[in-house]
Amino acid sequence: MIDPAGLKRILPHRHPMLLLDRVTDLVPGERLTAIKAIAGNEPWYQGLTDDAEPDAYAYPQVLLLESWCQAAGVLATWDHPNPDVLSGDVMLFGSLNNVTFAAPVLPGSVVEHRVRLVRALGKTLVFEGESSVGQQRALTVEQVLITMRPARFLQRRPVLQES
């Protein structure tokens, strides 16, 4: 449904931090399913030696969670995308609650992220969901809070010089 070029029109992330490959299902204001294929040539594996143990190839958990959060970001901004974080509304993650990592994700895996909008309170949104590889659950997210704020409030203000 949404390919990498489409994701770049919605999210500000770019290589190597655009951690989604495509969106396969989207019901605005309700739910989204996105895909991330894990490749062994990603930058996070660059420092592994030839004799690295198999568990060293587990995809970093923080990146798995970031990928899921990017999927939530697509759902959050679908109606009003803003890939330019210097203008318009900027998406901010406010909190993560009860995140559980159930199984490692290895290169060659295709991760399916499922995100559901639980509640919308103005420009503040609450999501839940999970990530799986096939039938194996890899990640559960009980609650993520995202809020939208005007970019002008987040920009650096010039420092006034004393005379």
Side-chain angles (χ1 to χ4, degrees):
M1 173 179 246
I2 302 172
D3 62 11
L7 289 167
K8 288 180 179 181
R9 288 190 289 275
I10 297 168
L11 295 173
H13 304 76
R14 297 295 181 266
H15 178 78
M17 286 308 297
L18 178 58
L19 300 177
L20 294 176
D21 293 318
R22 68 181 183 272
V23 172
T24 58
D25 179 54
L26 180 114
V27 178
E30 286 185 34
R31 68 178 187 274
L32 174 140
T33 303
I35 301 296
K36 164 66 177 148
I38 308 300
N41 62 355
E42 293 186 43
W44 354 108
Y45 298 116
Q46 197 170 21
L48 292 180
T49 61
D50 293 344
D51 61 345
E53 295 294 323
D55 61 342
Y57 287 90
Y59 194 67
Q61 291 177 335
V62 68
L63 296 178
L64 182 63
L65 181 58
E66 170 66 23
S67 182
W68 185 93
C69 287
Q70 288 180 19
V74 171
L75 184 56
T77 60
W78 174 253
D79 295 331
H80 300 93
N82 182 27
D84 176 12
V85 296
L86 299 178
S87 66
D89 281 342
V90 175
M91 177 176 35
L92 301 173
F93 282 79
S95 69
L96 300 162
N97 292 311
N98 296 326
V99 173
T100 305
F101 296 95
V105 176
L106 300 171
S109 300
V110 176
V111 179
E112 182 179 80
H113 300 300
R114 288 176 300 285
V115 177
R116 293 174 296 284
L117 178 63
V118 175
R119 186 176 26 217
L121 308 162
K123 291 187 174 191
T124 300
L125 308 164
V126 180
F127 297 93
E128 67 180 11
E130 57 277 335
S131 300
S132 301
V133 174
Q135 299 301 313
Q136 176 71 45
R137 177 80 48 95
L139 169 72
T140 301
V141 179
E142 188 173 298
Q143 186 180 68
V144 165
L145 185 128
I146 297 175
T147 190
M148 307 302 287
R149 292 293 183 258
R152 69 180 182 277
F153 294 138
L154 304 173
Q155 293 175 355
R156 177 181 285 181
R157 294 193 173 133
V159 176
L160 298 176
Q161 303 231 348
E162 292 184 36
S163 47

